[in-house]
Amino acid sequence: MTISYNWLCKYLPKAIEPEKLSAILTSIGLEVEKLSKFETVPGGLQGIITGEVLTCEQHPNADKLKLTIVYIGKDQPLQIVCGAQNVAAGQKVVVAPVGATIYPINAEPLIMKVAKIRGMESQGMICAEDEIGVGNSHAGIIVLPNDAIPGTPVAHFFQPYQDMIFEIGLTPNRMDAMSHLGVAKDVCAYLSHHQRKDVKVKLPFNHAFKADDKSLPIAVTIENQAACPRYSGVSISGVKVGHSPGWLKNSLQSIGIRSINNVVDVTNFILHETGQPLHAFDVQAIKGKAIVVKTLSENTPFITLDGKERKLLASDLMICNGSGEPICMAGVFGGAASGVSETTTDIFLESACFNSTYIRKSSLSHQLRTDAATRFEKGVDISNTVQVLKRAALLIKEVAGGTISSDIVDVYPQPEAKKEIVIKYHYLKKLSGKNYHPDTVKRILTALGFEVLKEGIDELWIAVPYNKPDISLPADIVEEVLRIDGLDNIDIPTSITISPSVESLGLKEQLRQKIAAYLAGQGYHEIVTNSITNSRYFSSEIIRHSVHMINSLSADLDIMRPSMLETGLEIIAYNINRKNNRLRLFEFGKTYTTDGVGKYVETEHLSLYLTGKLVEDNWKSKTQPADFFEAKGIAVAIKQWCGIAEVHWKPIEGTDVKLKICVGKKQIGLVEMVSPALTERFDIKQSVLFIDLDFSAIVALKKNTNITYKEVPKFPAVQRDLAIIVPAGTTYQLLETIVNKLKLPRLQQMHLFDVFENEKLGIDKKSMAINFTFLDEEKTLTDKETDGMMQTLMQAFEKEAQATIRK
C-alpha cells in the first residue's frame, strides 16, 4: 500500500514530521517498510537559476558553438560555451552554474564544473528541457519569459512537486486502511488516545451538494441483490474531458498512478482518498437511460477497455444498459464501448457496493487484478457510497466543468445493520496481557468509530462501524485496542514460566530427523515448497482429480499440488538461472487428490532431486553428471536406514529410466529420470533425477520392523568375483532375482562392479562382473564350501539367464 505524505496531511489536524509519522504508523500495525522521496523533477531544480544572455558571439575555434556572457544576478557575469542554435543575446535562460547538479533524462546526475571547450573556458551550462529533467525536448535551450529576473531560482517557474512516500506492509484484513482517509483515521485515533483529547480527521466531504437540474435521469435496477446490495449514481452533463490540473496529476503520480484524463483521474483520486471505487460511464452507451445490475449467460462475449474480447462466466456480475447489453464488468473492469473518451460530454457516475466473492471470482478468472477489484474483494464501506459520490461529482465539476443533471439515485433494498459485539474486560486482559481501564477502552474504540451501546460491570456492548467489515469477534476488538495503544507498548514480562514437555518424539518425527540428518551428511539441502501450485503444469486427467482452490490468492496458484515434482522443478530452475547448477535437494511434503465427490486424500512424501555433476571438477579430472544409478543408490541407502527389507524394483514398461520401488505388491515410491519435455517447460537444460517415496508407507513398514542385534562375526568373510556373458538385454535385477531364489544362507551380499560390451563377445552379448561376499558366523569357510556355492550360482545363471561363464 502506497501513501503520500502530502496527501495524508490534508486530513490531519496538523502536519507531523515524516519520520515521526512513520513511527506512529508502524506502532499501530501499518508497518512502514520504506520511506522515500518523490519528485516530479529529480533534484527539485536546486541550484539552477535564471540568467540573462548579455552577449552571444561565434566561438573562435568552433563553427557550431557560441560564446555567451550570462548575467545571473551577481556582480560577475559568467562566460558559458553553448551549442544550442536558438541562443541569442537578450534572452532569459535557465543556467546551471558551477557546483549545481543537473539530472538529465535517462542519464546519470552531473555536477557542473569549470570546463574548457575548444580552448575557451565555460563556467556552467545554459540548459535545455531534457538536461534538467523538466521535459524530453533537446531542440534548443529553454527561453523564459522576458519578465524573469536574473538570479531567481528556476523552481519558481516550473513549480516541481516534492513529496514523501510511505510503503506500508498492509495485512489482507485491513480494508479500512486501504485509503488515505482510512490511515488518517487510525493516526487520529492514536493521537486521541495518547494525547488524551479528541483529535478529529479533517473530512473532505461537502454537504452543500445539490443537483443543478434534472435533465438527465438514469434509472437503476438491481436484479441480483446478493451480488450487489447497494448501487448509487448521478448524472453530470456538459463535461469537457481533458488534462487534469497539476495538483491532481501530482497526487496520483506520487503514488504511482498514471494520469489519464480529468474525469478518470478524479475516480482514481477518490478511490485512494476514501477506499471507495467509482466508475464513470459515457451516457451515450447507456441505451434506454437505464442501468441493470445482473449476471448474464455463460460465454456471453464482452469487450473490455483494453480491447480484448472475453467470454463471461455465469457468475460474472455485469452492469448492463436498458437494452440488456453489458457495458461494464462490475467492480472489475470497464467496457470498451462505455469508457470516457475525449468526445464524451455526458457521464453517469457509479458508486456501489458489490459482493466480495463475486468480484474475486471474476477478477481471478479473467486475470484482471485492478485496484477496484482489490478493494471490493476485501469489502468496502456500504454506508459511504452516496457521500463519496457527492464528493466525486463536485470534484468533476471543478476540474472538468459541467452540471449535475439528476438527483442521486440510491438503490439499497435491504439496509445492512451494524454488527454488534460484546467484549469482556477480563477477556481483553487475558488476550492482551495488559489491564486496560474501561475509560481507555471506550476512548480508543469511539476514536475508531465504534459505537458504545451498553456497558456492564465487566463487559461492553459495541456496534462495529461499516468501514471495518473484517471485525466480527471479541478477539478483533482486542486487536484494535492493542493497535491504537501501540504494538510497541505491549508489556513484556520480566520472566516467563513454562512447563517443559518431556514427551519423546513419535516414530514418524524420529524417522524424519534420522533421514534428514543422513541426507544432510550426504550433501543434500532441505527445501520447503508451496503446496499450492499452478494447474497449467498438469494434464487434464490429473487436474480432474486435483483439489482446486475456491478463492485462490493468484491466477498462478489455483490448485493443491497433486505431485511433488513440479514445485521442486521450480526451485531447480530458480537456482540454475543463478548459476547454481549442482543441486542435491530433499523435501518432506504432501500431495492432495480428490475423487470429485467430496473425498480428499493427503499423501505424505519424501522427495529428492538430483541434478548437475557428482562432484565439482578439479585439476585432476572432470566428473560426470548425476545419473540414474546414483539416484537408485540413494534410494537403497534410505531403505537401509529405515530398516526396510524385501524391497524389489519393478521397471515401468516403455522406459529404462523409471523404476517402481515395491514391498510385496505395494508400491512405496519411484526413481526416475525426469523427461526432457518436462524439464524444458521449466527452462532446465540439464538432466534431473527424481526420487519420490511414500513417507507414510515407510513409517508403517518401519513400525512393523523388528530390529535385533547380533554380535560382530568373529570369522572372516570370503569374496569371490564372477564374470558371465549374457544377452545384451539382461538386467542386473534379473541376476539378483535368480540369486535370491537360491536362498544361500552364507551369501551376505552381491554387487555389480563391471559391465563390458565388445564384438568379440558375440552379437548382442555383454559381460557382467559380480562380486559375492560369503560368511559363516560359526566358523571359517573352506575353499571347498565357497567353491560349492559359486558352482551353484554359475549353474543357476547358465540355466535361467542363458549365461556363459567367462574363463
Side-chain angles (χ1 to χ4, degrees), residues 394-433:
L394 293 174
L395 265 183
I396 289 175
K397 275 190 67 176
E398 179 185 328
V399 302
T403 57
I404 298 172
S405 300
S406 74
D407 288 327
I408 287 180
V409 56
D410 182 27
V411 182
Y412 194 7
Q414 297 177 342
E416 185 176 317
K418 287 185 177 181
K419 286 180 286 187
E420 296 181 6
I421 298 176
V422 179
I423 177 72
K424 295 181 181 295
Y425 292 116
H426 77 270
Y427 177 78
L428 173 59
K429 181 180 179 181
K430 178 183 176 181
L431 227 59
S432 67

Side-chain angles (χ1 to χ4, degrees), residues 290 386 530 708:
V386 172
N530 196 346
T708 57

Side-chain angles (χ1 to χ4, degrees), residues 349-509:
L349 194 60
E350 163 197 284
S351 176
C353 178
F354 300 118
N355 184 288
S356 57
T357 303
Y358 281 82
I359 301 306
R360 184 165 179 81
K361 281 183 179 179
S362 296
S363 175
L364 291 177
S365 299
H366 298 288
Q367 298 184 14
L368 293 169
R369 303 297 294 156
T370 59
D371 282 345
T374 302
R375 278 145 177 93
F376 278 124
E377 67 188 22
K378 297 182 189 302
V380 297
D381 184 350
I382 196 170
S383 68
N384 210 29
T385 59
V386 172
Q387 183 170 237
V388 169
L389 188 64
K390 291 177 180 178
R391 161 84 167 145
L394 293 174
L395 265 183
I396 289 175
K397 275 190 67 176
E398 179 185 328
V399 302
T403 57
I404 298 172
S405 300
S406 74
D407 288 327
I408 287 180
V409 56
D410 182 27
V411 182
Y412 194 7
Q414 297 177 342
E416 185 176 317
K418 287 185 177 181
K419 286 180 286 187
E420 296 181 6
I421 298 176
V422 179
I423 177 72
K424 295 181 181 295
Y425 292 116
H426 77 270
Y427 177 78
L428 173 59
K429 181 180 179 181
K430 178 183 176 181
L431 227 59
S432 67
K434 193 169 181 178
N435 192 12
Y436 287 99
H437 192 280
D439 290 342
T440 300
V441 176
K442 287 186 287 184
R443 182 170 60 249
I444 290 174
L445 294 177
T446 52
L448 286 170
F450 291 86
E451 181 185 351
V452 177
L453 301 175
K454 189 169 63 171
E455 186 177 7
I457 296 175
D458 185 48
E459 55 193 6
L460 194 65
W461 282 264
I462 54 175
V464 181
Y466 290 107
N467 69 322
K468 292 183 178 290
D470 63 300
I471 293 180
S472 58
L473 302 170
D476 298 329
I477 302 299
V478 176
E479 181 186 357
E480 293 296 286
V481 173
L482 281 172
R483 278 195 321 102
I484 301 305
D485 186 41
L487 297 177
D488 49 0
N489 291 329
I490 296 175
D491 293 336
I492 299 176
T494 55
S495 63
I496 299 176
T497 304
I498 62 170
S499 299
S501 172
V502 294
E503 181 184 358
S504 60
L505 293 174
L507 174 63
K508 181 188 291 185
E509 289 306 314

Side-chain angles (χ1 to χ4, degrees), residues 568-578 583 682-684:
L569 291 176
E570 288 179 333
I571 301 299
I572 291 172
Y574 181 89
N575 279 271
I576 290 175
N577 288 339
R578 287 154 181 80
L583 299 169
F682 290 85
D683 199 27
I684 299 173

